[in-house]
Amino acid sequence: YFYKEGDLRFSLSARMEYGDYANALPNNRYEWSHDKYHTSRELWGAFVNNEQLAGHFASGRETFGFDARLYLGTTELGFQYLDTILDYGMEFPGDKITSLSTWPEKQLSIYLKHSADLSDYIVSQTLIRYRRDNFTSGDSSTVERYDNEVYLYYFQSLNYSISLLQNFQLDFTEDWSMSAGLSIENKNLSKGYLKEYGPSVSPDELDLDTYDWPTVLPNDAHPEWQRRKPNVVGSYANLKWQPFDNHSVFVGGRLDYDPLFDPVSTLRLGYVARSGEFVAKLLWGQSYSEPSSRQMFGAWSAMADNAQLAPERSSTLEAVVSYTLESVEALVDVYSVRIEDAIVNAGVNQNRKILG
């Protein structure tokens, strides 16, 4: 839906998706997704009597979301919501976890964005944003089997942030221009899943009427030991110079700071030349990626965590030559990537080099 009158505009879009991949997936062709595991009382006991937890194969997908935006001149107010409910029927072995285990994720973003011409050559853009990304207890449930016993647990992960982003575009002359910006973000993050377990029992002793179901965690459950609340700051500047027609030189840099790590700076250099249908590029740049809270604090035995993980740092050198006609394009791209302290699933840092 779209409405416009003068400087006032409003748009609304929505998405709904409901289905079950089990209707199309040949799960019985594969050993560990076979019905014989999902319907087995020997494996799951009385859990198979509850069709919302066990007893049959499923791989459902339910998605609902909408995006509403209100514009008044150069000011924009946005409201975005996405609710995703997933069953991972084909992802996990049916003798270890039921296919009806769910991870419903609710994402919300509310923002206010404003652009303004501060002068003939300076444009400002300001963004204030609130974000939320949650898995809530009770909605998120898992039935698992370990060491010949079965159990159910609820888990919860609550994550919030408020951020301010300020960007400037400066066009000094036809040959010189620069973009620069600053971001400040206050985060309130889960280090890992907060879990409430029911008792582990033998399948042949499981009685749903007497089973001690785990407590559903309240949505405001925020134990301090499980939270991480950094104030993250970042800044950048990119300079563009055109010394001759069809020739451009780029120089840029970033400075980022997260209290959990040391401040880090990264640089970027580039040169682009055009001649008719040919374009040549020579690029070099550095990048930086922090480990996620899950990699540092919240993984499980199949994917180790490590609170001492260092951020990944990489540098890339790339040369590109392209030739473009109306209906044909040819391109040669040669690059080298060096990654220091690459994060791998074992929860450790490694160095890597990629050539292509």
Side-chain angles (χ1 to χ4, degrees), residues 126-183:
T126 305
L127 174 67
I128 301 173
R129 180 174 58 199
Y130 168 79
R131 290 193 294 183
R132 186 181 72 198
D133 191 333
N134 292 344
F135 295 86
T136 55
S137 179
D139 294 328
S140 306
S141 61
T142 300
V143 176
E144 290 186 357
R145 174 183 171 87
Y146 181 76
D147 199 20
N148 295 321
E149 293 184 328
V150 294
Y151 56 91
L152 178 142
Y153 67 88
Y154 300 134
F155 57 93
Q156 184 160 276
S157 177
L158 308 175
N159 302 279
Y160 313 90
S161 74
I162 299 176
S163 55
L164 170 65
L165 296 88
Q166 176 63 55
N167 297 297
F168 297 98
Q169 177 64 39
L170 301 92
D171 296 315
F172 303 114
T173 67
E174 291 184 358
D175 299 331
W176 290 90
S177 62
M178 186 176 75
S179 59
L182 173 71
S183 65

Side-chain angles (χ1 to χ4, degrees), residues 82-267:
L82 180 63
D83 191 346
T84 305
I85 302 174
L86 294 174
D87 291 321
Y88 292 88
M90 296 297 289
E91 299 292 334
F92 298 109
D95 65 331
K96 299 297 183 182
I97 182 172
T98 67
S99 66
L100 296 169
S101 299
T102 57
W103 288 263
E105 183 176 7
K106 297 176 173 63
Q107 302 175 70
L108 172 67
S109 175
I110 303 173
Y111 67 88
L112 178 65
K113 182 164 59 176
H114 178 71
S115 298
D117 293 333
L118 301 184
S119 71
D120 292 338
Y121 60 90
I122 302 177
V123 177
S124 167
Q125 186 178 81
T126 305
L127 174 67
I128 301 173
R129 180 174 58 199
Y130 168 79
R131 290 193 294 183
R132 186 181 72 198
D133 191 333
N134 292 344
F135 295 86
T136 55
S137 179
D139 294 328
S140 306
S141 61
T142 300
V143 176
E144 290 186 357
R145 174 183 171 87
Y146 181 76
D147 199 20
N148 295 321
E149 293 184 328
V150 294
Y151 56 91
L152 178 142
Y153 67 88
Y154 300 134
F155 57 93
Q156 184 160 276
S157 177
L158 308 175
N159 302 279
Y160 313 90
S161 74
I162 299 176
S163 55
L164 170 65
L165 296 88
Q166 176 63 55
N167 297 297
F168 297 98
Q169 177 64 39
L170 301 92
D171 296 315
F172 303 114
T173 67
E174 291 184 358
D175 299 331
W176 290 90
S177 62
M178 186 176 75
S179 59
L182 173 71
S183 65
I184 302 172
E185 186 169 16
N186 175 262
K187 298 182 179 182
N188 189 334
L189 307 175
S190 295
K191 289 184 177 180
Y193 290 124
L194 191 62
K195 300 178 182 179
E196 283 289 332
Y197 286 89
S200 298
V201 298
S202 173
D204 57 7
E205 297 177 356
L206 177 63
D207 185 337
L208 297 186
D209 292 331
T210 60
Y211 185 70
D212 187 12
W213 298 89
T215 301
V216 175
L217 295 164
N219 288 347
D220 60 352
H222 287 175
E224 289 302 315
W225 60 265
Q226 200 255 355
R227 309 303 298 174
R228 179 172 172 244
K229 301 177 181 179
N231 290 313
V232 180
V233 180
S235 61
Y236 77 93
N238 293 310
L239 181 67
K240 179 182 177 182
W241 174 43
Q242 292 184 277
F244 314 104
D245 290 343
N246 299 319
H247 292 262
S248 300
V249 177
F250 301 88
V251 179
R254 283 191 62 92
L255 180 63
D256 294 279
Y257 174 68
D258 183 316
L260 200 59
F261 309 101
D262 294 330
V264 62
S265 60
T266 53
L267 299 175

